[in-house]
Amino acid sequence: MLGLERLLKELQHRQLEEQTRRHFLLECVSKMGGLALAPLLFSCESNPKIPATQQVALSQRTLNPLSPQPPPHLPKAKSIIYLHMAGSPSQLELFDFKPELVKYDGKACPESLLEGRKFAFIRGVPNLLGPQSSFRQHGESGAWVSDYLPHFSKVVDEAAFLKAVHTDQFNHGPAQLFMHTGSPRLGRPSLGSWVTYGLGTENQNLPGFVVLTSGGKTPDAGKSVWGSGFLPSVYQGVQCRSKGDPVLYLQDPKGISRDLKQNIISAINDVNKLEYEQYGDPETLARINQYEMAYRMQIEVPEVMNINDEPAYIHELYGTKPGEEAFANNCLLARKLVEKGVRFVQLFDWGWDSHGTDHSTAIDLGFRNKCNEIDRPIAALLMDLKQRGMLEDTLVVWGGEFGRTPMQENREGKTMGYKGRDHHVEAFTMWMAGGGIKNGSSFGETDELGFGAVSGKVSVHDIHATILQLMGFNHEQFTYDFQGRPFRLTDVEGHIIQEILA
């Protein structure tokens, strides 16, 4: 009875509030502001630069932001699996073979490489550090791959390597933000959010953008690397767990039937629709969609996130261990999610910061162990996608946020007990495979010590432009109006890397 009296008092208070002068003035200001803001928020419908077909599609998806949409141009890929090694693996131990670096191992680094440059931890004049792995050429492409990746070397012809990627951020958090949002500062939408915003998702019972983590920690930049920034929050990544329930509170409480749950959500969303009609806030539509998505996910998520029923040969192929949080499990889940129509699957594996401060971060010890964890699953993912006929329209991207130095880290100018490498922004290696990629190719080259690019230098914005191109978007025209101007993933930069496109 007390609860009913309280609700009645709140209703009476609300009605009295609406009769006050303050409420009247507030409504006048917000409605006039809404008239001015509407063209900014929805200017795409009257923007002559956007094709008429895309304008119609945008208006049709108002009440269903994740409805599938055709891209403006013919795409080469329809989904993405992005494998990010948080902490940044050493390209000099994996893909960028430098025989000259072997000869100069242990010798003082030339002053010309140090002058005017900043490093995260290196001070003074460090010694050069030769590769701690052995290299051989593999496949018809003759790509150099180290013995740290014996399984990947068997599928190397599926990949296109970028050997001279550069960035301007040498700390993990800003570099990860830059790699995934196009800006080292908070507030921009992630790549997965942009793709999902532009294309929606094919399976309305699952999120369009799913995130899986391994390695025991999330990236240094936090969940902003899969956030939606200024895009509606419905486009942010949904983090699922590979251990335990994939999503918390997936099961209804005892006594709550499926029909009752549907009635509750319908009642809540009726209120939300009235709220949207009154205030026109796009986030209200996102909230409606998220309630309904959560309801539908309860049916499909338990099945798609269960790897126990996979055949024994699949578990052997990936090296999976059901019930554990593992990169191998996440690779298998990524294949299953894409197979079910999820647009963008992001895997983050933590633990690649190989400074040589202890055994786990030594480039010849702990780093080798990390490579063992990812080698078989990545090769299995590429083989599995290919044998199912999915690799041709699934884009697989691999990399970190920056590279590692050809010099041994001498933290604060002191020789360290283990071998490690500092953060390096001048040049590092990434690779792509699958939808629209020229397999067995390589673009870019570094100098004889692997310090800087001598040809084929590409930026983070170039990578984003290329990924959007493969998904059917012109990166210069794919924009979202915010704070009075159009924003895009590539900001005011970016060129398509034609050399790796099929």
Side-chain angles (χ1 to χ4, degrees):
M1 193 63 183
L2 290 174
L4 179 59
E5 290 177 357
R6 182 178 177 183
L7 286 174
L8 289 172
K9 286 183 179 179
E10 287 181 358
L11 176 62
Q12 185 180 22
H13 181 72
R14 179 68 178 269
Q15 290 173 341
L16 290 172
E17 257 190 348
E18 293 178 354
Q19 297 175 22
T20 63
R21 183 175 59 178
R22 177 178 295 178
H23 180 78
F24 172 75
L25 293 173
L26 177 63
E27 285 292 286
C28 285
V29 171
S30 63
K31 291 298 187 287
M32 292 299 291
L35 288 173
L37 187 60
L40 299 177
L41 290 175
F42 305 107
S43 60
C44 50
E45 297 186 9
S46 58
N47 191 335
K49 294 183 179 180
I50 297 181
T53 54
Q54 190 177 354
Q55 295 176 25
V56 173
L58 287 170
S59 63
Q60 287 174 343
R61 72 193 302 203
T62 303
L63 291 175
N64 186 9
L66 288 173
S67 60
Q69 303 296 319
H73 309 291
L74 185 65
K76 295 297 179 100
K78 69 177 185 181
S79 55
I80 297 176
I81 298 175
Y82 195 126
L83 312 172
H84 183 94
M85 309 295 104
S88 298
S90 169
Q91 73 281 5
L92 296 168
E93 266 68 40
L94 299 181
F95 305 117
D96 202 13
F97 179 46
K98 296 298 172 186
E100 288 296 307
L101 193 58
V102 178
K103 293 195 295 185
Y104 290 103
D105 181 37
K107 296 184 178 180
C109 179
E111 289 282 355
S112 59
L113 299 184
L114 304 174
E115 188 176 356
R117 291 184 171 90
K118 290 183 178 180
F119 299 93
F121 295 100
I122 284 177
R123 302 292 182 267
V125 179
N127 292 330
L128 293 170
L129 177 65
Q132 301 301 299
S133 56
S134 300
F135 280 81
R136 284 180 51 201
Q137 288 180 286
H138 295 272
E140 294 182 7
S141 62
W144 289 98
V145 182
S146 83
D147 61 346
Y148 280 18
L149 299 174
H151 292 89
F152 179 77
S153 64
K154 298 175 183 177
V155 296
V156 71
D157 283 341
E158 301 297 337
F161 290 92
L162 296 170
K163 294 287 187 70
V165 184
H166 78 94
T167 179
D168 57 10
Q169 301 295 320
F170 63 75
N171 286 323
H172 294 292
Q176 289 167 2
L177 281 171
F178 189 31
M179 182 60 70
H180 291 280
T181 73
S183 171
R185 289 166 288 280
L186 296 168
R188 297 291 185 90
S190 60
L191 171 61
S193 295
W194 277 108
V195 171
T196 312
Y197 164 67
L199 298 175
T201 183
E202 293 184 345
N203 190 333
Q204 296 299 296
N205 296 331
L206 292 170
F209 178 14
V210 174
V211 179
L212 301 167
T213 63
S214 57
K217 294 183 181 180
T218 54
D220 298 75
K223 298 183 179 181
S224 296
V225 288
W226 62 79
S228 58
F230 48 70
L231 292 176
S233 57
V234 70
Y235 300 114
Q236 68 185 349
V238 175
Q239 184 180 2
C240 294
R241 305 187 303 170
S242 55
K243 180 180 180 181
D245 289 339
V247 180
L248 294 177
Y249 312 115
L250 195 61
Q251 302 296 325
D252 290 325
K254 291 182 179 180
I256 301 296
S257 67
R258 189 76 178 156
D259 289 341
L260 178 57
K261 181 69 171 288
Q262 185 176 22
N263 291 336
I264 292 171
I265 292 174
S266 296
I268 292 171
N269 281 345
D270 285 343
V271 175
N272 285 332
K273 288 173 184 175
L274 291 173
E275 188 80 4
Y276 177 72
E277 290 172 4
Q278 185 174 6
Y279 296 105
D281 185 355
E283 280 301 305
T284 306
L285 293 179
R287 192 182 310 135
I288 291 171
N289 184 271
Q290 286 163 344
Y291 272 117
E292 293 175 350
M293 172 64 73
Y295 176 75
R296 295 192 299 268
M297 282 173 61
Q298 288 182 304
I299 297 297
E300 191 139 358
V301 164
E303 177 188 352
V304 74
M305 297 295 291
N306 177 23
I307 64 172
N308 294 317
D309 297 334
E310 290 291 314
Y313 79 91
I314 289 292
H315 287 296
E316 175 65 22
L317 182 67
Y318 282 86
T320 49
K321 298 178 180 178
E324 296 184 9
E325 180 191 82
F327 181 77
N329 292 6
N330 289 348
C331 283
L332 178 52
L333 287 171
R335 187 269 289 167
K336 293 188 67 176
L337 289 164
V338 167
E339 194 172 30
K340 287 290 187 178
V342 173
R343 184 71 66 187
F344 198 108
V345 182
Q346 176 77 62
L347 272 62
F348 286 101
D349 186 60
W350 187 87
W352 292 90
D353 198 14
S354 305
H355 286 287
T357 54
D358 54 28
H359 182 284
S360 66
T361 65
I363 206 75
D364 55 341
L365 300 171
F367 180 78
R368 181 187 283 271
N369 294 334
K370 287 298 295 182
C371 291
N372 288 337
E373 292 175 12
I374 69 160
D375 179 35
R376 176 183 289 187
I378 290 177
L381 177 63
L382 295 179
M383 288 189 288
D384 199 8
L385 289 171
K386 187 172 183 178
Q387 64 94 13
R388 293 170 188 270
M390 295 170 59
L391 188 58
E392 61 186 28
D393 57 16
T394 301
L395 177 63
V396 181
V397 183
W398 180 94
E401 59 264 31
F402 40 63
R404 315 303 296 199
T405 58
M407 303 86 78
Q408 180 173 355
E409 183 169 324
N410 62 340
R411 187 161 294 199
E412 302 307 321
K414 300 177 181 178
T415 302
M416 300 173 67
Y418 293 89
K419 295 178 181 179
R421 301 187 187 274
D422 203 353
H423 307 169
H424 193 54
V425 302
E426 300 287 339
F428 60 102
T429 300
M430 294 182 66
W431 59 258
M432 301 184 195
I437 291 297
K438 185 190 296 182
N439 54 2
S441 63
S442 181
F443 180 63
E445 185 181 356
T446 56
D447 58 42
E448 62 183 9
L449 297 179
F451 187 90
V454 294
S455 67
K457 189 174 184 178
V458 299
S459 70
V460 173
H461 293 304
D462 297 336
I463 290 170
H464 290 163
T466 305
I467 291 173
L468 290 180
Q469 174 75 11
L470 292 169
M471 300 303 290
F473 292 98
N474 181 327
H475 73 100
E476 294 180 338
Q477 296 178 1
F478 187 28
T479 63
Y480 186 87
D481 286 353
F482 178 65
Q483 293 183 339
R485 77 168 180 92
F487 281 81
R488 69 186 211 215
L489 174 62
T490 52
D491 199 31
V492 295
E493 301 180 49
H495 298 87
I496 298 166
I497 310 169
Q498 299 286 355
E499 290 81 1
I500 65 168
L501 301 186

